[in-house]
Amino acid sequence: DHHETECLIESKEIQIGEKTEGKWKVEQEGKAPYSSVITHGFVLDEKGLKMSKSLGNVVDPHTIIEGGKNQKEAPGYGADIMRLWVSSVDYTGDVMIGPQILRQMSDVYRKLRGTLRYLLGNLHDWKVENAVSYQELPMIDRHALFQLENVVKNIREGYENYQFFKIFQYTIKDGSIAGFVFESKWPSVNEKWLAFPAEEVDFWGKVLELRTEVNKVLEIARTGKLIGSSLEAKVYLHVSDASLASRLLEMCSANNDADALHRIFLTSQVEVVPSLDHELVQNVSHTGEYVVEDDRVWIGVSRADGSKCERCWNYSPQVGSFTEHPTLCGRCFNVVGIQPTPAMAAAIS
């Protein structure tokens, strides 16, 4: 705007006019009045053709936002869909836009809003006093916080490098409560979360990789009609690496339930067997193998032991052993057992 800034080019030197106390102050900078230059490609239609009136393939931003005369053929998507498309494309080359791409963006937008709504719905009654200290968190949660900090770091770098299409691939947390998104601030770097030990990062990477392979064998068992839900399954593992086997064995009886291996696999039980000659292995019909960093891991799946818990749907041999609550597993019995009975609850209220 020439009322705010006036640029004059004289003798190959750039002079910037700056309004100070109602007067124009011209300073000779000797450099360009910007820090960087970004170039971009052309906007093409969905077939990769350049837009032109003669071809009738021009996509009007106003029509995208407001919709065309025929709302069925050209519905109005609103400004947010337009912004989402802009953030999703790698503008350093030619980019394409059209009805199909906009429909896809609309689907992505609805899924994003739905996910955020679900997350916020689960957090709406959270209070500061409910916070759990970092040291008391399950290891899987600490690993998740480490990953979150890296996401925030990558998003920050994406903004600094104008690589918005990379930011599109992430979900970002809000660092402060603000009336408008424009008033929000970047979340500050949490060095404690980023200091998650490298050996733990490596271990949990292996666990998540193992979970993917376990899911493959579970799917084979499901196709073979051995199980329906994964909670109907018991997983057997044999790991050639003694150190990894020891860690997995510890997780089978973790003090923190969230770190228990069967919780991570979404199965009712997991057993680490010392040898493939183990008698239980001989009766396992659905198996698989994979190699993680030169260590071979054998995976077997059978029906879970015990009966189905009415409350958590996990299978356990403990179901039926509690007189007061014969349909519950031990974990659920311990939870329900400390709750007041309906008559007592009414009296208390």
Side-chain angles (χ1 to χ4, degrees):
D1 191 328
H2 68 279
H3 293 295
E4 297 294 333
T5 304
E6 178 178 298
C7 295
L8 303 174
I9 302 178
E10 295 181 5
S11 303
K12 296 183 181 180
E13 292 180 329
I14 296 179
Q15 296 176 318
I16 301 178
E18 181 183 324
K19 193 175 182 181
T20 305
E21 298 178 350
K23 298 181 180 180
W24 287 101
K25 177 184 177 183
V26 179
E27 294 183 350
Q28 201 171 51
E29 296 288 346
K31 62 180 181 180
Y34 43 80
S35 59
S36 58
V37 177
I38 297 175
T39 60
H40 60 79
F42 285 99
V43 179
L44 311 174
D45 69 9
E46 288 182 323
K47 296 179 180 178
L49 299 175
K50 190 164 67 171
M51 295 183 189
S52 67
K53 291 183 179 180
S54 60
L55 291 176
N57 63 346
V58 176
V59 178
D60 184 356
H62 184 269
T63 302
I64 294 174
I65 297 171
E66 301 291 339
K69 293 180 179 179
N70 187 333
Q71 289 286 316
K72 288 187 177 180
E73 291 184 2
Y77 289 106
D80 282 343
I81 303 300
M82 188 73 183
R83 295 186 182 106
L84 192 62
W85 171 78
V86 171
S87 70
S88 71
V89 295
D90 182 359
Y91 60 81
T92 56
D94 294 343
V95 298
M96 296 186 290
I97 192 170
Q100 181 61 32
I101 292 173
L102 289 170
R103 280 194 291 271
Q104 292 173 352
M105 283 294 110
S106 180
D107 290 341
V108 170
Y109 177 74
R110 282 198 298 270
K111 290 178 181 177
L112 180 59
R113 280 183 63 98
T115 300
L116 292 175
R117 182 178 180 181
Y118 174 80
L119 294 173
L120 290 172
N122 278 275
L123 294 171
H124 80 282
D125 59 349
W126 186 85
K127 298 178 177 63
V128 175
E129 53 264 31
N130 300 139
V132 178
S133 68
Y134 182 79
Q135 296 303 323
E136 293 178 336
L137 287 174
M139 289 299 291
I140 191 171
D141 285 355
R142 298 187 211 177
H143 181 256
L145 292 176
F146 167 78
Q147 297 288 5
L148 175 60
E149 281 304 303
N150 278 287
V151 167
V152 174
K153 178 183 176 183
N154 290 335
I155 287 175
R156 186 191 296 272
E157 290 175 354
Y159 273 113
E160 290 173 351
N161 296 317
Y162 307 105
Q163 294 179 316
F164 307 113
F165 64 96
K166 291 185 178 180
I167 300 166
F168 175 79
Q169 301 168 14
Y170 295 104
T171 301
I172 187 168
K173 65 174 182 176
D174 213 344
S176 60
I177 300 174
F180 303 95
V181 68
F182 310 106
E183 297 175 2
S184 298
K185 298 179 180 178
W186 278 106
S188 58
V189 175
N190 193 312
E191 298 295 344
K192 182 184 290 184
W193 295 359
L194 280 175
F196 193 64
E199 60 272 17
E200 289 297 321
V201 174
D202 180 62
F203 171 70
W204 282 96
K206 291 178 181 178
V207 169
L208 296 178
E209 185 180 346
L210 177 58
R211 182 176 184 270
T212 300
E213 298 301 321
V214 166
N215 284 338
K216 292 177 182 178
V217 182
L218 288 172
E219 187 58 36
I220 294 172
R222 189 177 291 112
T223 303
K225 308 298 182 183
L226 177 70
I227 62 170
S229 163
S230 63
L231 290 177
E232 297 177 11
K234 178 177 182 178
V235 172
Y236 296 91
L237 298 174
H238 172 66
V239 185
S240 60
D241 179 72
S243 176
L244 180 58
S246 177
R247 283 296 304 270
L248 294 176
L249 189 61
E250 288 177 10
M251 291 180 68
C252 289
S253 56
N255 292 329
N256 195 310
D257 191 64
D259 286 334
L261 204 51
H262 73 280
R263 299 292 181 197
I264 294 168
F265 291 165
L266 295 181
T267 59
S268 286
Q269 293 120 24
V270 176
E271 183 172 342
V272 178
V273 295
S275 169
L276 291 181
D277 295 329
H278 197 284
E279 58 180 345
L280 292 173
V281 171
Q282 308 305 319
N283 299 320
V284 175
S285 56
H286 296 88
T287 64
E289 276 192 344
Y290 88 109
V291 176
V292 49
E293 295 184 2
D294 298 326
D295 297 318
R296 190 171 299 278
V297 179
W298 177 89
I299 304 166
V301 171
S302 70
R303 288 282 303 181
D305 300 329
S307 302
K308 184 179 180 179
C309 174
E310 187 178 50
R311 181 174 179 269
C312 70
W313 295 11
N314 281 262
Y315 283 71
S316 170
Q318 293 178 314
V319 175
S321 62
F322 305 104
T323 305
E324 295 178 33
H325 299 285
T327 61
L328 301 183
C329 66
R331 176 175 175 269
C332 289
F333 174 77
N334 291 332
V335 173
V336 173
I338 63 174
Q339 303 300 321
T341 62
M344 290 178 63
I348 292 171
S349 61

